[in-house]
Amino acid sequence: GAVVSQHPSWVICKSGTSVKIECRSLDFQATTMFWYRQFPKQSLMLMATSNEGSKATYEQGVEKDKFLINHASLTLSTLTVTSAHPEDSSFYICSARDRRDPYEQYFGPGTRLTVT
Amino acid sequence: LAKTTQPISMDSYEGQEVNITCSHNNIATNDYITWYQQFPSQGPRFIIQGYKTKVTNEVASLFIPADRKSSTLSLPRVSLSDTAVYYCLVAPSGGYNKLIFGAGTRLAVHP
């Protein structure tokens, strides 16, 4: 089946620093990837839609200058949390659509970010 | 995007059948209904998808009445490992449409 990986699986960083999270589709090409954030005991909140070769589309209320998204290839999208603060601590999940089957999204395992 | 409503939580016991109903009154003609399962600290996992009537796979069944304003996920003979959050999503078919997650149903299976 289609596999999406994320790296790292968990990361701890100091307040004010930036951290990059990678999302890869391992066995399929994804022209579209999505980034979600999930706080404890809450649902997934869509942050942005990442399209290969173009600028990401951010959901209302998500700061695009703080959450930089790059989708440079058909198998890789990155999310960079810039100048991270403790309130950015969350579980970040990506998903990808196989361009051959647009009805289904494949989710990554998530990345736990803790900002101290 | 059609809004979905599910029970916040459900409890069951091992070996029982669990039915989780999702309401989506404003579902559009080209919307599909998809259910995901999520364990703590993991990404959601696709369970089943349907458009109308009944769909069955190796893990669940999905019942969709003719008016499609609701759907029911049926998990046969649950085990402790089925304890998870279950999300019902409705989204248009085709293209590269985004998925908006509702609150989900937190299912607890007890021994």
Short mmCIF file of all heavy atoms in Angstrom, two decimals, chain A residues 31-32 34 36 38 41-46 49 51 59 91 93 97-100 102-110 112, chain B residues 32 34 36 38-46 49 87 89 91-104 106:
data_model
loop_
_atom_site.label_atom_id
_atom_site.label_comp_id
_atom_site.label_asym_id
_atom_site.label_seq_id
_atom_site.Cartn_x
_atom_site.Cartn_y
_atom_site.Cartn_z
N THR A 31 1.21 15.00 -6.09
CA THR A 31 1.24 16.40 -6.50
C THR A 31 0.68 17.30 -5.41
O THR A 31 0.96 18.48 -5.39
CB THR A 31 0.43 16.60 -7.80
OG1 THR A 31 -0.87 16.05 -7.62
CG2 THR A 31 1.11 15.94 -8.98
N THR A 32 -0.09 16.72 -4.52
CA THR A 32 -0.67 17.50 -3.44
C THR A 32 -0.40 16.83 -2.09
O THR A 32 -0.61 15.61 -1.95
CB THR A 32 -2.19 17.66 -3.61
OG1 THR A 32 -2.46 18.26 -4.86
CG2 THR A 32 -2.77 18.53 -2.50
N PHE A 34 -0.79 17.64 2.29
CA PHE A 34 -1.50 18.46 3.27
C PHE A 34 -0.77 18.41 4.60
O PHE A 34 -0.21 17.38 4.97
CB PHE A 34 -2.93 17.96 3.46
CG PHE A 34 -3.76 17.91 2.20
CD1 PHE A 34 -3.71 16.80 1.37
CD2 PHE A 34 -4.58 18.98 1.85
CE1 PHE A 34 -4.46 16.75 0.20
CE2 PHE A 34 -5.33 18.92 0.69
CZ PHE A 34 -5.27 17.82 -0.14
N TYR A 36 -1.31 19.05 8.74
CA TYR A 36 -2.27 19.20 9.82
C TYR A 36 -1.51 19.40 11.14
O TYR A 36 -0.37 19.00 11.29
CB TYR A 36 -3.13 17.94 9.97
CG TYR A 36 -3.99 17.60 8.77
CD1 TYR A 36 -3.47 16.92 7.68
CD2 TYR A 36 -5.35 17.94 8.75
CE1 TYR A 36 -4.26 16.58 6.59
CE2 TYR A 36 -6.15 17.60 7.67
CZ TYR A 36 -5.60 16.93 6.60
OH TYR A 36 -6.39 16.61 5.52
N GLN A 38 -2.29 18.89 15.41
CA GLN A 38 -3.22 18.28 16.35
C GLN A 38 -2.73 18.49 17.77
O GLN A 38 -1.64 18.03 18.12
CB GLN A 38 -3.39 16.78 16.06
CG GLN A 38 -4.44 16.11 16.91
CD GLN A 38 -4.67 14.67 16.50
OE1 GLN A 38 -3.74 13.97 16.10
NE2 GLN A 38 -5.91 14.20 16.59
N LYS A 41 -5.89 15.61 22.70
CA LYS A 41 -7.32 15.39 22.85
C LYS A 41 -8.18 16.18 21.86
O LYS A 41 -9.39 16.30 22.05
CB LYS A 41 -7.77 15.73 24.28
CG LYS A 41 -7.04 14.96 25.36
CD LYS A 41 -7.37 13.50 25.33
CE LYS A 41 -6.73 12.77 26.51
NZ LYS A 41 -6.97 11.32 26.45
N GLN A 42 -7.56 16.74 20.85
CA GLN A 42 -8.32 17.48 19.85
C GLN A 42 -8.21 16.82 18.49
O GLN A 42 -7.42 15.90 18.30
CB GLN A 42 -7.82 18.93 19.78
CG GLN A 42 -8.07 19.74 21.04
CD GLN A 42 -7.71 21.20 20.86
OE1 GLN A 42 -7.68 21.73 19.75
NE2 GLN A 42 -7.43 21.87 21.96
N SER A 43 -9.02 17.32 17.58
CA SER A 43 -9.04 16.76 16.23
C SER A 43 -7.90 17.35 15.40
O SER A 43 -7.19 18.26 15.84
CB SER A 43 -10.37 17.07 15.57
OG SER A 43 -10.44 16.49 14.29
N LEU A 44 -7.74 16.83 14.22
CA LEU A 44 -6.74 17.37 13.31
C LEU A 44 -7.24 18.68 12.73
O LEU A 44 -8.40 18.79 12.34
CB LEU A 44 -6.49 16.40 12.14
CG LEU A 44 -5.67 15.15 12.40
CD1 LEU A 44 -6.50 14.10 13.10
CD2 LEU A 44 -5.10 14.61 11.10
N MET A 45 -6.35 19.64 12.66
CA MET A 45 -6.70 20.92 12.07
C MET A 45 -5.83 21.12 10.83
O MET A 45 -4.61 21.10 10.91
CB MET A 45 -6.45 22.06 13.05
CG MET A 45 -6.93 23.41 12.54
SD MET A 45 -6.28 24.80 13.46
CE MET A 45 -4.64 24.93 12.77
N LEU A 46 -6.48 21.30 9.69
CA LEU A 46 -5.75 21.50 8.46
C LEU A 46 -5.05 22.86 8.51
O LEU A 46 -5.67 23.88 8.79
CB LEU A 46 -6.69 21.44 7.27
CG LEU A 46 -6.08 21.66 5.90
CD1 LEU A 46 -5.11 20.52 5.56
CD2 LEU A 46 -7.16 21.77 4.83
N THR A 49 -2.38 23.43 2.30
CA THR A 49 -2.32 22.49 1.18
C THR A 49 -1.07 22.82 0.39
O THR A 49 -0.86 23.98 0.01
CB THR A 49 -3.56 22.63 0.29
OG1 THR A 49 -4.73 22.39 1.07
CG2 THR A 49 -3.51 21.64 -0.86
N ASN A 51 1.17 22.17 -2.89
CA ASN A 51 1.16 21.69 -4.27
C ASN A 51 2.56 21.74 -4.85
O ASN A 51 3.26 22.74 -4.71
CB ASN A 51 0.23 22.54 -5.13
CG ASN A 51 -1.21 22.38 -4.69
OD1 ASN A 51 -1.78 21.31 -4.74
ND2 ASN A 51 -1.82 23.47 -4.26
N GLU A 59 -4.70 27.75 5.39
CA GLU A 59 -6.05 27.92 5.93
C GLU A 59 -6.11 29.23 6.72
O GLU A 59 -5.08 29.76 7.18
CB GLU A 59 -6.41 26.74 6.82
CG GLU A 59 -6.53 25.42 6.07
CD GLU A 59 -7.60 25.45 5.01
OE1 GLU A 59 -8.78 25.75 5.35
OE2 GLU A 59 -7.29 25.18 3.83
N PHE A 91 1.41 18.06 17.63
CA PHE A 91 1.63 16.89 16.79
C PHE A 91 1.33 17.32 15.36
O PHE A 91 0.22 17.74 15.06
CB PHE A 91 0.70 15.77 17.25
CG PHE A 91 1.00 14.41 16.69
CD1 PHE A 91 2.27 13.86 16.80
CD2 PHE A 91 0.01 13.66 16.07
CE1 PHE A 91 2.55 12.60 16.31
CE2 PHE A 91 0.29 12.39 15.57
CZ PHE A 91 1.55 11.86 15.68
N ILE A 93 1.04 16.42 11.41
CA ILE A 93 0.78 15.27 10.55
C ILE A 93 0.67 15.73 9.10
O ILE A 93 0.03 16.75 8.82
CB ILE A 93 -0.54 14.57 10.94
CG1 ILE A 93 -0.52 14.17 12.41
CG2 ILE A 93 -0.79 13.34 10.06
CD1 ILE A 93 -1.88 13.72 12.93
N ARG A 97 -1.85 12.88 -1.47
CA ARG A 97 -2.74 12.25 -2.43
C ARG A 97 -1.91 11.65 -3.56
O ARG A 97 -1.08 12.34 -4.14
CB ARG A 97 -3.72 13.26 -3.00
CG ARG A 97 -4.87 13.61 -2.10
CD ARG A 97 -5.97 14.33 -2.88
NE ARG A 97 -7.02 14.82 -2.03
CZ ARG A 97 -8.05 14.10 -1.61
NH1 ARG A 97 -8.14 12.84 -1.96
NH2 ARG A 97 -8.98 14.63 -0.84
N ASP A 98 -2.18 10.40 -3.83
CA ASP A 98 -1.58 9.76 -4.99
C ASP A 98 -2.23 10.36 -6.22
O ASP A 98 -3.46 10.32 -6.35
CB ASP A 98 -1.82 8.25 -4.92
CG ASP A 98 -1.11 7.48 -6.03
OD1 ASP A 98 -0.81 8.07 -7.09
OD2 ASP A 98 -0.87 6.28 -5.82
N ARG A 99 -1.45 10.89 -7.11
CA ARG A 99 -2.05 11.59 -8.25
C ARG A 99 -2.81 10.64 -9.17
O ARG A 99 -3.62 11.09 -10.00
CB ARG A 99 -1.00 12.35 -9.04
CG ARG A 99 0.04 11.51 -9.73
CD ARG A 99 0.95 12.41 -10.55
NE ARG A 99 1.94 11.68 -11.31
CZ ARG A 99 2.75 12.25 -12.18
NH1 ARG A 99 2.71 13.55 -12.37
NH2 ARG A 99 3.64 11.53 -12.84
N ARG A 100 -2.60 9.33 -8.99
CA ARG A 100 -3.36 8.36 -9.79
C ARG A 100 -4.71 8.06 -9.14
O ARG A 100 -5.59 7.50 -9.79
CB ARG A 100 -2.57 7.07 -9.94
CG ARG A 100 -1.21 7.23 -10.61
CD ARG A 100 -0.37 5.99 -10.42
NE ARG A 100 -0.16 5.73 -8.99
CZ ARG A 100 0.48 4.67 -8.52
NH1 ARG A 100 0.96 3.76 -9.34
NH2 ARG A 100 0.65 4.51 -7.22
N PRO A 102 -7.16 10.26 -6.74
CA PRO A 102 -7.39 11.48 -5.95
C PRO A 102 -8.44 11.34 -4.86
O PRO A 102 -8.68 12.27 -4.11
CB PRO A 102 -7.84 12.49 -7.01
CG PRO A 102 -8.47 11.65 -8.07
CD PRO A 102 -7.68 10.36 -8.10
N TYR A 103 -9.07 10.17 -4.73
CA TYR A 103 -10.13 10.04 -3.75
C TYR A 103 -9.60 9.78 -2.34
O TYR A 103 -10.32 9.95 -1.38
CB TYR A 103 -11.07 8.91 -4.13
CG TYR A 103 -11.77 9.14 -5.45
CD1 TYR A 103 -11.32 8.54 -6.61
CD2 TYR A 103 -12.88 9.99 -5.53
CE1 TYR A 103 -11.96 8.78 -7.82
CE2 TYR A 103 -13.51 10.21 -6.73
CZ TYR A 103 -13.05 9.60 -7.88
OH TYR A 103 -13.67 9.83 -9.07
N GLU A 104 -8.37 9.34 -2.23
CA GLU A 104 -7.88 8.91 -0.93
C GLU A 104 -6.63 9.67 -0.53
O GLU A 104 -5.79 9.98 -1.37
CB GLU A 104 -7.57 7.41 -0.97
CG GLU A 104 -7.24 6.82 0.39
CD GLU A 104 -7.15 5.32 0.34
OE1 GLU A 104 -7.76 4.70 -0.54
OE2 GLU A 104 -6.44 4.75 1.19
N GLN A 105 -6.53 9.98 0.74
CA GLN A 105 -5.34 10.58 1.29
C GLN A 105 -4.62 9.55 2.15
O GLN A 105 -5.24 8.80 2.89
CB GLN A 105 -5.68 11.78 2.17
CG GLN A 105 -6.01 13.05 1.43
CD GLN A 105 -6.13 14.26 2.34
OE1 GLN A 105 -5.51 14.31 3.40
NE2 GLN A 105 -6.93 15.21 1.93
N TYR A 106 -3.29 9.55 2.04
CA TYR A 106 -2.47 8.67 2.86
C TYR A 106 -1.75 9.53 3.88
O TYR A 106 -1.08 10.50 3.52
CB TYR A 106 -1.48 7.91 1.98
CG TYR A 106 -2.16 7.08 0.91
CD1 TYR A 106 -2.33 7.57 -0.38
CD2 TYR A 106 -2.66 5.82 1.21
CE1 TYR A 106 -2.98 6.82 -1.34
CE2 TYR A 106 -3.30 5.06 0.23
CZ TYR A 106 -3.46 5.57 -1.04
OH TYR A 106 -4.09 4.83 -1.99
N PHE A 107 -1.90 9.15 5.14
CA PHE A 107 -1.36 9.96 6.21
C PHE A 107 -0.01 9.45 6.69
O PHE A 107 0.24 8.24 6.72
CB PHE A 107 -2.33 9.99 7.39
CG PHE A 107 -3.53 10.87 7.12
CD1 PHE A 107 -4.62 10.39 6.42
CD2 PHE A 107 -3.55 12.18 7.57
CE1 PHE A 107 -5.70 11.20 6.15
CE2 PHE A 107 -4.65 13.00 7.32
CZ PHE A 107 -5.72 12.51 6.61
N GLY A 108 0.83 10.40 7.07
CA GLY A 108 2.09 10.05 7.69
C GLY A 108 1.89 9.71 9.15
O GLY A 108 0.80 9.90 9.70
N PRO A 109 2.93 9.24 9.81
CA PRO A 109 2.84 8.84 11.22
C PRO A 109 2.84 10.00 12.19
O PRO A 109 2.59 9.81 13.38
CB PRO A 109 4.07 7.96 11.41
CG PRO A 109 5.05 8.49 10.43
CD PRO A 109 4.24 8.93 9.24
N GLY A 110 3.15 11.19 11.71
CA GLY A 110 3.15 12.36 12.59
C GLY A 110 4.51 12.67 13.17
O GLY A 110 5.40 11.81 13.26
N ARG A 112 6.06 14.75 16.56
CA ARG A 112 5.78 15.41 17.84
C ARG A 112 6.81 16.51 18.04
O ARG A 112 7.99 16.24 18.15
CB ARG A 112 5.85 14.40 18.98
CG ARG A 112 5.72 15.02 20.38
CD ARG A 112 4.32 15.40 20.69
NE ARG A 112 3.39 14.27 20.60
CZ ARG A 112 2.07 14.39 20.60
NH1 ARG A 112 1.51 15.59 20.70
NH2 ARG A 112 1.30 13.33 20.51
N TYR B 32 -18.26 11.94 -1.29
CA TYR B 32 -18.04 10.60 -0.79
C TYR B 32 -17.93 10.65 0.73
O TYR B 32 -17.61 11.69 1.30
CB TYR B 32 -16.75 10.01 -1.36
CG TYR B 32 -16.91 9.40 -2.73
CD1 TYR B 32 -17.14 10.18 -3.84
CD2 TYR B 32 -16.83 8.02 -2.90
CE1 TYR B 32 -17.29 9.62 -5.10
CE2 TYR B 32 -16.97 7.44 -4.15
CZ TYR B 32 -17.20 8.24 -5.24
OH TYR B 32 -17.36 7.69 -6.48
N THR B 34 -16.06 9.02 3.99
CA THR B 34 -14.86 8.28 4.33
C THR B 34 -14.69 8.24 5.85
O THR B 34 -14.93 9.23 6.52
CB THR B 34 -13.61 8.93 3.71
OG1 THR B 34 -13.84 9.16 2.31
CG2 THR B 34 -12.39 8.04 3.87
N TYR B 36 -11.98 7.33 9.01
CA TYR B 36 -10.60 7.11 9.41
C TYR B 36 -10.55 6.71 10.88
O TYR B 36 -11.42 7.06 11.68
CB TYR B 36 -9.77 8.38 9.22
CG TYR B 36 -9.44 8.72 7.79
CD1 TYR B 36 -10.31 9.46 7.00
CD2 TYR B 36 -8.24 8.29 7.22
CE1 TYR B 36 -10.00 9.77 5.69
CE2 TYR B 36 -7.92 8.61 5.91
CZ TYR B 36 -8.80 9.35 5.15
OH TYR B 36 -8.49 9.65 3.86
N GLN B 38 -7.84 6.68 14.23
CA GLN B 38 -6.59 7.24 14.71
C GLN B 38 -6.29 6.75 16.12
O GLN B 38 -7.12 6.89 17.03
CB GLN B 38 -6.61 8.77 14.70
CG GLN B 38 -5.25 9.37 15.06
CD GLN B 38 -5.25 10.88 15.15
OE1 GLN B 38 -6.25 11.50 15.47
NE2 GLN B 38 -4.09 11.48 14.88
N PHE B 39 -5.09 6.21 16.27
CA PHE B 39 -4.58 5.84 17.59
C PHE B 39 -3.76 7.00 18.13
O PHE B 39 -3.27 7.84 17.36
CB PHE B 39 -3.71 4.58 17.50
CG PHE B 39 -4.47 3.37 17.03
CD1 PHE B 39 -4.18 2.79 15.81
CD2 PHE B 39 -5.47 2.80 17.82
CE1 PHE B 39 -4.88 1.67 15.36
CE2 PHE B 39 -6.16 1.68 17.38
CZ PHE B 39 -5.87 1.13 16.15
N PRO B 40 -3.57 7.06 19.44
CA PRO B 40 -2.77 8.16 20.02
C PRO B 40 -1.38 8.25 19.41
O PRO B 40 -0.72 7.23 19.20
CB PRO B 40 -2.72 7.79 21.51
CG PRO B 40 -3.93 6.96 21.75
CD PRO B 40 -4.12 6.18 20.48
N SER B 41 -0.98 9.45 19.10
CA SER B 41 0.36 9.74 18.56
C SER B 41 0.63 9.02 17.25
O SER B 41 1.79 8.66 16.96
CB SER B 41 1.44 9.40 19.59
OG SER B 41 1.29 10.23 20.73
N GLN B 42 -0.40 8.81 16.48
CA GLN B 42 -0.24 8.24 15.14
C GLN B 42 -1.09 9.02 14.15
O GLN B 42 -2.05 9.69 14.53
CB GLN B 42 -0.66 6.76 15.11
CG GLN B 42 0.23 5.84 15.92
CD GLN B 42 -0.15 4.38 15.72
OE1 GLN B 42 -0.67 3.99 14.68
NE2 GLN B 42 0.12 3.55 16.73
N GLY B 43 -0.75 8.92 12.87
CA GLY B 43 -1.58 9.53 11.86
C GLY B 43 -2.85 8.72 11.63
O GLY B 43 -2.90 7.54 11.95
N PRO B 44 -3.87 9.35 11.10
CA PRO B 44 -5.13 8.62 10.82
C PRO B 44 -4.90 7.50 9.81
O PRO B 44 -4.03 7.61 8.93
CB PRO B 44 -6.04 9.71 10.23
CG PRO B 44 -5.47 10.99 10.71
CD PRO B 44 -4.00 10.77 10.79
N ARG B 45 -5.70 6.48 9.95
CA ARG B 45 -5.62 5.34 9.04
C ARG B 45 -6.97 5.17 8.35
O ARG B 45 -8.01 5.15 9.00
CB ARG B 45 -5.26 4.08 9.81
CG ARG B 45 -5.10 2.82 8.97
CD ARG B 45 -4.67 1.64 9.84
NE ARG B 45 -5.78 1.11 10.61
CZ ARG B 45 -6.45 -0.01 10.30
NH1 ARG B 45 -6.15 -0.66 9.20
NH2 ARG B 45 -7.42 -0.46 11.08
N PHE B 46 -6.96 5.05 7.05
CA PHE B 46 -8.17 4.86 6.25
C PHE B 46 -8.85 3.55 6.64
O PHE B 46 -8.20 2.51 6.76
CB PHE B 46 -7.81 4.84 4.77
CG PHE B 46 -8.94 4.49 3.84
CD1 PHE B 46 -9.79 5.47 3.35
CD2 PHE B 46 -9.14 3.17 3.46
CE1 PHE B 46 -10.83 5.14 2.49
CE2 PHE B 46 -10.18 2.83 2.60
CZ PHE B 46 -11.01 3.81 2.10
N GLN B 49 -14.61 3.63 2.67
CA GLN B 49 -15.21 4.75 1.95
C GLN B 49 -16.41 4.26 1.15
O GLN B 49 -16.38 3.14 0.62
CB GLN B 49 -14.17 5.38 1.01
CG GLN B 49 -14.64 6.61 0.26
CD GLN B 49 -13.56 7.14 -0.68
OE1 GLN B 49 -13.28 6.57 -1.73
NE2 GLN B 49 -12.95 8.25 -0.27
N TYR B 87 -13.11 9.02 12.80
CA TYR B 87 -13.54 10.25 12.15
C TYR B 87 -14.36 9.92 10.91
O TYR B 87 -13.95 9.09 10.09
CB TYR B 87 -12.34 11.09 11.73
CG TYR B 87 -11.50 11.62 12.87
CD1 TYR B 87 -10.33 10.97 13.26
CD2 TYR B 87 -11.86 12.80 13.53
CE1 TYR B 87 -9.55 11.46 14.29
CE2 TYR B 87 -11.08 13.30 14.56
CZ TYR B 87 -9.93 12.63 14.93
OH TYR B 87 -9.15 13.11 15.95
N LEU B 89 -15.70 11.67 7.51
CA LEU B 89 -15.45 12.84 6.67
C LEU B 89 -16.27 12.75 5.40
O LEU B 89 -16.49 11.67 4.85
CB LEU B 89 -13.97 12.94 6.30
CG LEU B 89 -13.04 13.37 7.43
CD1 LEU B 89 -12.55 12.17 8.22
CD2 LEU B 89 -11.85 14.12 6.86
N ALA B 91 -16.41 14.56 1.61
CA ALA B 91 -15.66 15.44 0.70
C ALA B 91 -16.04 15.14 -0.73
O ALA B 91 -16.40 14.01 -1.06
CB ALA B 91 -14.16 15.24 0.91
N PRO B 92 -15.91 16.14 -1.58
CA PRO B 92 -16.23 15.93 -2.99
C PRO B 92 -15.30 14.92 -3.63
O PRO B 92 -14.14 14.78 -3.24
CB PRO B 92 -16.04 17.32 -3.61
CG PRO B 92 -16.10 18.27 -2.47
CD PRO B 92 -15.55 17.53 -1.29
N SER B 93 -15.81 14.24 -4.60
CA SER B 93 -14.99 13.27 -5.31
C SER B 93 -14.12 13.98 -6.33
O SER B 93 -14.41 15.10 -6.75
CB SER B 93 -15.90 12.28 -6.03
OG SER B 93 -16.72 12.94 -6.96
N GLY B 94 -13.06 13.32 -6.71
CA GLY B 94 -12.21 13.85 -7.75
C GLY B 94 -11.36 15.02 -7.32
O GLY B 94 -11.49 15.55 -6.23
N GLY B 95 -10.46 15.40 -8.19
CA GLY B 95 -9.63 16.56 -7.92
C GLY B 95 -8.71 16.36 -6.73
O GLY B 95 -8.39 15.24 -6.36
N TYR B 96 -8.32 17.42 -6.12
CA TYR B 96 -7.39 17.35 -5.00
C TYR B 96 -7.99 18.08 -3.82
O TYR B 96 -7.42 19.03 -3.30
CB TYR B 96 -6.05 17.94 -5.43
CG TYR B 96 -5.47 17.19 -6.60
CD1 TYR B 96 -5.65 17.65 -7.90
CD2 TYR B 96 -4.80 16.00 -6.41
CE1 TYR B 96 -5.16 16.94 -8.97
CE2 TYR B 96 -4.30 15.29 -7.48
CZ TYR B 96 -4.47 15.76 -8.77
OH TYR B 96 -3.99 15.07 -9.83
N ASN B 97 -9.17 17.61 -3.41
CA ASN B 97 -9.90 18.31 -2.37
C ASN B 97 -9.36 18.02 -0.99
O ASN B 97 -8.96 16.90 -0.67
CB ASN B 97 -11.36 17.91 -2.44
CG ASN B 97 -11.98 18.29 -3.77
OD1 ASN B 97 -12.13 19.45 -4.08
ND2 ASN B 97 -12.30 17.28 -4.56
N LYS B 98 -9.38 19.03 -0.15
CA LYS B 98 -8.89 18.88 1.21
C LYS B 98 -9.93 18.20 2.08
O LYS B 98 -11.12 18.22 1.80
CB LYS B 98 -8.54 20.25 1.78
CG LYS B 98 -9.69 21.24 1.77
CD LYS B 98 -9.22 22.63 2.16
CE LYS B 98 -10.38 23.62 2.15
NZ LYS B 98 -9.92 25.00 2.43
N LEU B 99 -9.46 17.59 3.15
CA LEU B 99 -10.31 16.94 4.13
C LEU B 99 -10.35 17.77 5.40
O LEU B 99 -9.32 18.19 5.90
CB LEU B 99 -9.79 15.54 4.46
CG LEU B 99 -9.78 14.51 3.33
CD1 LEU B 99 -9.22 13.19 3.83
CD2 LEU B 99 -11.19 14.31 2.79
N ILE B 100 -11.55 18.02 5.88
CA ILE B 100 -11.72 18.75 7.12
C ILE B 100 -12.24 17.77 8.17
O ILE B 100 -13.30 17.18 8.01
CB ILE B 100 -12.72 19.91 6.95
CG1 ILE B 100 -12.24 20.85 5.85
CG2 ILE B 100 -12.88 20.65 8.28
CD1 ILE B 100 -10.91 21.51 6.10
N PHE B 101 -11.46 17.60 9.23
CA PHE B 101 -11.82 16.66 10.28
C PHE B 101 -12.74 17.31 11.31
O PHE B 101 -12.51 18.43 11.75
CB PHE B 101 -10.56 16.15 10.98
CG PHE B 101 -9.80 15.12 10.20
CD1 PHE B 101 -9.03 15.49 9.10
CD2 PHE B 101 -9.88 13.78 10.54
CE1 PHE B 101 -8.34 14.54 8.37
CE2 PHE B 101 -9.20 12.82 9.81
CZ PHE B 101 -8.43 13.21 8.73
N GLY B 102 -13.78 16.57 11.69
CA GLY B 102 -14.61 16.99 12.80
C GLY B 102 -14.01 16.48 14.09
O GLY B 102 -12.85 16.09 14.15
N ALA B 103 -14.83 16.48 15.12
CA ALA B 103 -14.33 16.11 16.45
C ALA B 103 -14.05 14.62 16.59
O ALA B 103 -13.24 14.20 17.40
CB ALA B 103 -15.34 16.55 17.51
N GLY B 104 -14.73 13.81 15.80
CA GLY B 104 -14.51 12.38 15.89
C GLY B 104 -15.23 11.74 17.06
O GLY B 104 -15.79 12.41 17.93
N ARG B 106 -14.63 9.03 20.11
CA ARG B 106 -13.62 8.31 20.90
C ARG B 106 -14.24 7.01 21.39
O ARG B 106 -15.12 7.03 22.25
CB ARG B 106 -13.17 9.17 22.07
CG ARG B 106 -11.91 8.72 22.76
CD ARG B 106 -11.43 9.78 23.75
NE ARG B 106 -11.03 11.00 23.06
CZ ARG B 106 -9.81 11.23 22.60
NH1 ARG B 106 -8.88 10.32 22.74
NH2 ARG B 106 -9.53 12.37 21.99
#
